[in-house]
Every structure is written in structure tokens, then in C-alpha cells.
Amino acid sequence: MSAAEKPPLMLYLAAPRGFCAGVDRAIKIVELALKAYGPPVYVRHEIVHNKYVVDGLRRQGAVFVDELDEIPETDQPVIFSAHGVPKSVPESAAARNMLYIDATCPLVSKVHKEAQIHRKRAREILLIGHKGHPEVIGTMGQLPQGAVTLIETVDDAETIQPKEPENLAWITQTTLSVDDTREIVKVLQRRFPSVVGPHKEDICYATTNRQEAVKAIAPKSDAVFVVGAPNSSNSQRLREVAERSGARSAHLVQRASDIDWQQIEGVRTVGLTAGASAPEVLVDEVIDAFRSRFDVTVQLERTVDEDVVFTLPRALREKVNQLDAAG
């Protein structure tokens, strides 16, 4: 089909989108560990929630496991994913004399520290998040069982009966809907006026920025596509935000081959973004797929610039530097 025969399409490309600093750091940790120690390098759980990324690291020699007991006796390192782990995991690794590297996002580690501070101050802790998500399991696992109560919805916030209503604190998962979380917090503050919140927002800068960017493109888009994994919380929230912000339809796709072209027949405007664990190569792939069917005009819609960078673990950096210096 020639360009003249293709129907026109305006594609609004959200910015910022894709990799955040925590994801970028976690992937680099695996890559540097492979360089420093050689394969195999073991990784507990998906390092980030993206099949393309995980498969790429697997080809380089990363071995992904669900639990530490799947790892044989070895001197090779094991890496903990960006989502964070319960305290019992590094304790188990240390008991087995494992060399472990923690790739937990520093913004998740911040929430862990908040939980520990509230515990020291004898506060009852409410965690706003999604049951079963690795980050929630990791955060709740920083403290003894029963020390943290999970709040998933506004209804939960309306009905919870804390043991000490005058001595409460709330923390959140970092990848939630900003708007949903705000509504839950409003209920908690109305019911428990003395409840203590974070000094600085727990929902991470990248989640907030990507949701704001989607809000900018959704009202003018017949359809919004979010490149991301089904088990990626921040990607699922982007799809929900797009729907609520005026897009006629919103779709989560892992890559271009997932697009159902019949679903979007007749569209003239499309919004495109990517979750924080989705690489830009998959965004390019989706754009190319649209170009093969439409005469595409791409318009970048930037709401904010990001310049956040997290440092890599010092011991790993030093080992790689020594190897580079040696040869």
C-alpha cells in the first residue's frame, strides 16, 4: 500500500515514557554482574516486569528463579529484583553464604525505611497497594507478620477498624494511580485526622510523570496504547488513567504483534506511551506497525523533563572497574 492510499493518522507520543531510573539501574546491575562474574548470574523473580527485557538478559546468561532454594550451591551472585524483597530473603541468602546484590529501586527502599521508622515509633501501619504485587510483599515483609495492614480500595479505607486509631501511619506502593490513592488518603484523613503520611510522596516520580503525560494525550486520542506487561502495575495504571481521562479506548500491549487492528478500525488519532519497565525499542516497533498501515504523523507531547539517575552498588562498580583496568 502506497503512502497515498494509507489513511492519515495523528500519533501523540507521550513523554516521559518507558524506563525509569530504578528500572534502568536494575537492568544495569544484572548486565554488570554478568560482566564481572560471568554467567550464570541468578535473579530472584523478574528483575523488572517486562518479558522482552527478561528474555534479553536470559540470553546473556541470567537465570531467573522464583525462590532462593531453586539455586544450587554456587559462588555466583544472586540479584534481588527492583521491586524489593522481604527481610527474610537476604537473611536466607546470608545463611547460605550467597553473594547477593540488591537491585531494589531506591524509592522502594525509601518506603521500607518509612515502615521501619513507623514501627519504631509504635504506630499502626496502613499500606495502600495491591495484594500479591512483589513490591507489596517486599514492603510488608520488612516487619513482623501482622504489623502492616493492606488497604486496596476506598471501601477498605472506609471500613478498616484499626486497633489504635489515634496512632496510625500510611505508606504506599510506588506504582499506584495517583488519583485513586488521593481518594483513599482523603478517606483515611477524614476518619483518622491524626494519621501520619510520608514526608515526601511515596508514589514515585516516574509513575506520577507518566500518568500526567497520559492525561495530556488521552482527551484527543481515539485510542491510547500502553506498551507494557500485564503484571506491570504502573503499566496497568496508565491504561486506566487513559480511559478515565477521555480516550475512547485504551489498550495494554506487550509489543506490536499484540495489537488487534479490528478493534481500532476507523481511528484517526492514537496516543502512545510505555510503562516504566518497557524499553523504547518496543515503542519504536509499535510506531513502525502503525506506519505500515497508516500515513502517520508523530507529535511528541512532553509534560516534564526527567533527569533522575540512581548510582549502582559500589562493590559492583569497583569490581567492574578493576576488571577494566586489568585488561
Side-chain angles (χ1 to χ4, degrees):
M1 191 186 293
S2 69
E5 296 170 316
K6 292 176 184 175
L9 181 83
M10 175 63 78
L11 191 151
Y12 298 108
L13 185 59
R17 64 183 176 276
F19 279 2
C20 63
V23 164
D24 191 53
R25 174 180 180 269
I27 294 167
K28 280 180 179 164
I29 286 172
V30 178
E31 291 173 338
L32 285 179
L34 284 163
K35 180 177 178 180
Y37 298 96
V41 164
Y42 296 93
V43 185
R44 184 186 179 276
H45 288 181
E46 293 185 338
I47 187 69
V48 297
H49 283 156
N50 188 274
K51 184 178 186 299
Y52 181 92
V53 171
V54 168
D55 286 348
L57 293 171
R58 191 178 278 123
R59 284 192 294 272
Q60 294 176 52
V63 176
F64 292 87
V65 299
D66 288 328
E67 298 298 343
L68 296 184
D69 59 17
E70 297 170 48
I71 302 172
E73 292 304 316
T74 181
D75 294 328
Q76 292 295 102
V78 57
I79 297 170
F80 304 148
S81 81
H83 311 101
V85 294
K87 267 190 171 176
S88 58
V89 174
E91 287 169 358
S92 297
R96 285 183 57 187
N97 293 317
M98 285 178 156
L99 170 62
Y100 66 85
I101 303 168
D102 191 355
T104 300
C105 172
L107 298 179
V108 174
S109 297
K110 165 189 168 285
V111 179
H112 291 180
K113 288 183 186 116
E114 284 171 359
Q116 289 157 357
I117 289 167
H118 291 315
R119 174 76 173 172
K120 280 179 189 168
R121 293 176 181 169
R123 292 175 181 141
E124 190 172 342
I125 302 165
L126 308 177
L127 169 61
I128 303 170
H130 297 295
K131 185 177 182 181
H133 189 277
E135 185 185 326
V136 166
I137 293 169
T139 299
M140 294 184 80
Q142 299 306 303
L143 300 177
Q145 194 165 359
V148 181
T149 302
L150 186 63
I151 303 282
E152 294 193 83
T153 64
V154 167
D155 284 346
D156 289 346
E158 288 283 11
T159 56
I160 185 161
Q161 297 297 330
K163 300 182 195 76
E164 297 184 68
E166 300 302 316
N167 195 27
L168 278 181
W170 61 269
I171 56 177
T172 83
Q173 185 179 334
T174 63
T175 54
L176 300 178
S177 159
V178 173
D179 296 334
D180 287 351
T181 304
R182 187 182 297 121
E183 293 308 307
I184 291 171
V185 170
K186 277 183 189 172
V187 172
L188 293 176
Q189 290 173 333
R190 171 172 53 78
R191 292 190 64 207
F192 314 109
S194 60
V195 67
V196 177
H199 291 300
K200 189 181 176 191
E201 189 73 63
D202 281 346
I203 295 177
C204 82
Y205 79 94
T207 297
T208 302
N209 290 348
R210 279 149 191 72
Q211 289 179 21
E212 288 302 312
V214 164
K215 287 177 183 177
I217 63 173
K220 48 193 178 185
S221 300
D222 294 331
V224 169
F225 284 85
V226 179
V227 180
N231 59 341
S232 164
S233 174
N234 76 85
S235 299
Q236 289 284 11
R237 303 296 80 77
L238 287 174
R239 182 187 57 76
E240 293 168 1
V241 169
E243 283 181 338
R244 294 175 188 174
S245 301
R248 281 165 48 187
S249 66
H251 313 270
L252 181 67
V253 294
Q254 296 199 68
R255 55 191 313 171
S257 56
D258 293 339
I259 298 171
D260 183 341
W261 298 101
Q262 288 185 324
Q263 259 188 340
I264 58 165
E265 207 167 318
V267 300
R268 290 293 172 264
T269 56
V270 164
L272 179 60
T273 189
S277 47
E280 187 66 9
V281 64
L282 298 184
V283 174
D284 293 338
E285 184 183 274
V286 168
I287 294 172
D288 289 343
F290 274 100
R291 287 194 193 282
S292 70
R293 291 166 174 81
F294 297 90
D295 180 15
V296 175
T297 302
V298 176
Q299 183 168 314
L300 185 68
E301 297 282 333
R302 182 175 296 279
T303 51
V304 69
D305 289 314
E306 289 181 349
D307 56 5
V308 178
V309 178
F310 294 134
T311 57
L312 296 162
R314 188 170 70 181
L316 183 58
R317 276 185 287 130
E318 287 175 352
K319 183 161 181 69
V320 171
N321 290 339
Q322 287 167 4
L323 286 172
D324 288 344

